[in-house]
Amino acid sequence: MNKFIKTAIIGCTGYTGIELVKLINKHKNVKLIDLGSKSQFSKEFSDICPEIKLSNKIIIKKNNEIDVSKLDLVFVCLPHIESQKYILNIIDKVKIIDLSGDFRLKKFEDYKKWYNNDHNLPHQIKNFTYGLSEIFNHEISKSQNISVPGCYPTSILIPLFPLIKNKLIKYNNII
Protein backbone atom coordinates (compact mmCIF):
# COMPACT_ATOMS: atom_id res chain seq x y z
CA MET A 1 0.00 0.00 0.00
CA ASN A 2 1.30 3.46 -0.92
CA LYS A 3 2.04 5.84 1.91
CA PHE A 4 1.23 9.36 0.86
CA ILE A 5 2.58 12.52 2.42
CA LYS A 6 -0.59 14.16 3.69
CA THR A 7 -0.33 17.87 3.15
CA ALA A 8 -2.13 21.21 3.21
CA ILE A 9 -1.43 24.50 1.50
CA ILE A 10 -2.11 27.67 3.45
CA GLY A 11 -2.71 30.60 1.14
CA CYS A 12 -3.78 28.37 -1.73
CA THR A 13 -5.48 31.10 -3.79
CA GLY A 14 -2.47 33.39 -4.20
CA TYR A 15 -0.08 32.99 -7.11
CA THR A 16 2.42 30.82 -5.23
CA GLY A 17 -0.33 28.73 -3.65
CA ILE A 18 -2.04 28.03 -6.98
CA GLU A 19 1.26 27.04 -8.62
CA LEU A 20 2.01 24.75 -5.69
CA VAL A 21 -1.45 23.14 -5.97
CA LYS A 22 -0.67 22.37 -9.63
CA LEU A 23 2.65 20.75 -8.74
CA ILE A 24 1.41 18.73 -5.78
CA ASN A 25 -1.66 17.56 -7.66
CA LYS A 26 0.67 15.80 -10.13
CA HIS A 27 2.92 14.26 -7.47
CA LYS A 28 2.36 10.55 -6.94
CA ASN A 29 3.57 10.51 -3.31
CA VAL A 30 1.86 13.63 -1.99
CA LYS A 31 -1.85 13.95 -1.27
CA LEU A 32 -3.58 17.28 -0.78
CA ILE A 33 -5.81 16.93 2.26
CA ASP A 34 -6.67 20.57 2.96
CA LEU A 35 -6.43 23.96 1.34
CA GLY A 36 -6.62 27.21 3.26
CA SER A 37 -7.30 30.81 2.30
CA LYS A 38 -7.81 34.10 4.12
CA SER A 39 -10.73 35.20 1.93
CA GLN A 40 -11.75 32.45 -0.53
CA PHE A 41 -12.96 29.84 1.98
CA SER A 42 -16.15 27.74 1.96
CA LYS A 43 -15.79 27.25 -1.78
CA GLU A 44 -14.66 24.23 -3.71
CA PHE A 45 -11.16 24.76 -5.09
CA SER A 46 -12.35 23.90 -8.61
CA ASP A 47 -14.76 26.89 -8.41
CA ILE A 48 -11.78 29.21 -7.84
CA CYS A 49 -9.45 27.53 -10.35
CA PRO A 50 -11.54 25.45 -12.78
CA GLU A 51 -8.50 24.84 -14.98
CA ILE A 52 -6.95 22.67 -12.23
CA LYS A 53 -8.56 19.24 -11.94
CA LEU A 54 -7.80 17.96 -8.45
CA SER A 55 -7.71 14.24 -7.80
CA ASN A 56 -10.13 14.77 -4.90
CA LYS A 57 -12.79 17.37 -4.09
CA ILE A 58 -11.52 19.93 -1.57
CA ILE A 59 -13.55 22.68 0.05
CA ILE A 60 -11.24 25.55 0.98
CA LYS A 61 -11.15 26.34 4.70
CA LYS A 62 -10.05 29.43 6.55
CA ASN A 63 -6.29 29.26 7.01
CA ASN A 64 -6.59 28.97 10.79
CA GLU A 65 -9.19 26.18 10.59
CA ILE A 66 -6.81 23.61 9.08
CA ASP A 67 -6.30 20.73 11.52
CA VAL A 68 -2.56 20.07 11.30
CA SER A 69 -2.75 17.03 13.59
CA LYS A 70 -3.87 14.88 10.63
CA LEU A 71 -1.12 16.15 8.33
CA ASP A 72 2.50 15.29 7.67
CA LEU A 73 3.40 18.60 6.08
CA VAL A 74 2.07 22.14 5.68
CA PHE A 75 3.13 24.51 2.93
CA VAL A 76 2.72 28.14 4.01
CA CYS A 77 2.23 30.42 0.99
CA LEU A 78 1.50 33.67 2.79
CA PRO A 79 3.24 37.05 2.49
CA HIS A 80 6.03 37.80 4.95
CA ILE A 81 4.78 38.87 8.37
CA GLU A 82 1.50 37.01 7.73
CA SER A 83 3.44 33.78 7.44
CA GLN A 84 5.07 34.06 10.86
CA LYS A 85 1.71 34.85 12.48
CA TYR A 86 0.30 31.62 11.09
CA ILE A 87 3.41 29.57 11.83
CA LEU A 88 3.28 30.67 15.48
CA ASN A 89 0.23 28.40 15.89
CA ILE A 90 1.62 25.31 14.15
CA ILE A 91 5.33 25.29 14.96
CA ASP A 92 6.40 21.96 16.50
CA LYS A 93 3.06 20.35 15.54
CA VAL A 94 3.80 19.50 11.90
CA LYS A 95 6.58 19.74 9.34
CA ILE A 96 6.54 23.20 7.73
CA ILE A 97 7.75 24.45 4.37
CA ASP A 98 7.47 28.23 4.35
CA LEU A 99 7.52 30.04 1.02
CA SER A 100 7.65 33.55 2.47
CA GLY A 101 10.82 35.41 3.39
CA ASP A 102 10.13 35.21 7.11
CA PHE A 103 12.65 32.51 8.01
CA ARG A 104 15.23 32.80 5.24
CA LEU A 105 17.64 35.07 7.06
CA LYS A 106 19.44 33.68 10.11
CA LYS A 107 19.91 37.00 11.93
CA PHE A 108 17.01 38.95 13.40
CA GLU A 109 18.84 42.20 12.59
CA ASP A 110 19.11 41.24 8.90
CA TYR A 111 15.37 40.55 8.76
CA LYS A 112 14.64 44.00 10.21
CA LYS A 113 17.07 45.63 7.77
CA TRP A 114 15.78 43.94 4.60
CA TYR A 115 12.06 43.66 5.43
CA ASN A 116 11.81 46.90 7.42
CA ASN A 117 9.90 45.08 10.16
CA ASP A 118 10.50 43.35 13.45
CA HIS A 119 10.26 39.57 13.41
CA ASN A 120 7.55 38.19 15.71
CA LEU A 121 9.32 34.83 16.20
CA PRO A 122 13.04 35.66 16.34
CA HIS A 123 13.70 32.64 18.56
CA GLN A 124 12.34 30.34 15.81
CA ILE A 125 14.52 31.60 12.97
CA LYS A 126 17.29 29.16 13.92
CA ASN A 127 14.83 26.25 13.61
CA PHE A 128 14.42 26.69 9.85
CA THR A 129 16.74 25.25 7.22
CA TYR A 130 17.43 27.29 4.11
CA GLY A 131 15.71 25.21 1.46
CA LEU A 132 18.07 25.48 -1.48
CA SER A 133 18.16 21.76 -2.24
CA GLU A 134 21.04 21.96 -4.73
CA ILE A 135 23.30 23.11 -1.89
CA PHE A 136 21.68 22.06 1.41
CA ASN A 137 20.08 18.73 0.47
CA HIS A 138 21.54 16.87 3.46
CA GLU A 139 20.36 19.48 5.99
CA ILE A 140 16.91 19.69 4.38
CA SER A 141 16.41 15.93 4.61
CA LYS A 142 16.81 16.11 8.41
CA SER A 143 14.87 19.32 8.99
CA GLN A 144 11.42 19.77 10.51
CA ASN A 145 11.08 23.32 9.15
CA ILE A 146 12.25 24.58 5.77
CA SER A 147 12.35 28.11 4.43
CA VAL A 148 12.26 28.18 0.65
CA PRO A 149 14.57 30.72 -0.98
CA GLY A 150 13.15 33.21 -3.42
CA CYS A 151 13.66 33.02 -7.16
CA TYR A 152 16.35 35.71 -7.33
CA PRO A 153 18.59 34.22 -4.60
CA THR A 154 18.15 30.77 -6.16
CA SER A 155 19.14 32.01 -9.63
CA ILE A 156 22.24 33.69 -8.19
CA LEU A 157 23.36 31.13 -5.60
CA ILE A 158 23.24 28.04 -7.80
CA PRO A 159 25.87 29.30 -10.26
CA LEU A 160 27.90 31.18 -7.59
CA PHE A 161 28.17 28.36 -5.06
CA PRO A 162 30.64 26.18 -7.01
CA LEU A 163 32.77 29.24 -7.72
CA ILE A 164 32.86 30.21 -4.05
CA LYS A 165 33.37 26.62 -2.87
CA ASN A 166 36.36 26.22 -5.20
CA LYS A 167 37.73 29.65 -4.20
CA LEU A 168 37.52 30.96 -7.75
CA ILE A 169 35.88 34.24 -6.71
CA LYS A 170 35.77 36.42 -3.61
CA TYR A 171 32.36 36.65 -1.96
CA ASN A 172 32.74 39.50 0.54
CA ASN A 173 30.79 41.99 -1.60
CA ILE A 174 28.06 39.72 -2.98
CA ILE A 175 24.64 40.91 -1.81
Side-chain angles (χ1 to χ4, degrees), residues 112-128:
K112 187 169 184 155
K113 175 183 173 183
W114 292 104
Y115 288 95
N116 201 27
N117 256 307
D118 286 330
H119 201 290
N120 296 316
L121 301 172
H123 60 286
Q124 291 291 352
I125 292 173
K126 68 183 182 305
N127 295 324
F128 279 77

Side-chain angles (χ1 to χ4, degrees), residues 128-161:
F128 279 77
T129 300
Y130 194 68
L132 189 56
S133 60
E134 292 82 356
I135 299 171
F136 301 111
N137 191 31
H138 182 69
E139 293 88 345
I140 291 167
S141 68
K142 299 184 299 183
S143 182
Q144 178 69 12
N145 304 308
I146 300 163
S147 179
V148 177
C151 53
Y152 179 72
T154 299
S155 71
I156 297 304
L157 290 171
I158 289 175
L160 281 179
F161 188 74

Side-chain angles (χ1 to χ4, degrees), residues 81-92 96 98 102-103 105-108 111 117-128 145:
I81 300 172
E82 290 300 312
S83 181
Q84 54 188 288
K85 290 177 189 174
Y86 179 79
I87 287 173
L88 172 66
N89 298 311
I90 66 167
I91 195 90
D92 299 326
I96 299 167
D98 181 36
D102 280 347
F103 297 94
L105 303 172
K106 289 297 177 198
K107 294 180 187 169
F108 169 73
Y111 182 86
N117 256 307
D118 286 330
H119 201 290
N120 296 316
L121 301 172
H123 60 286
Q124 291 291 352
I125 292 173
K126 68 183 182 305
N127 295 324
F128 279 77
N145 304 308

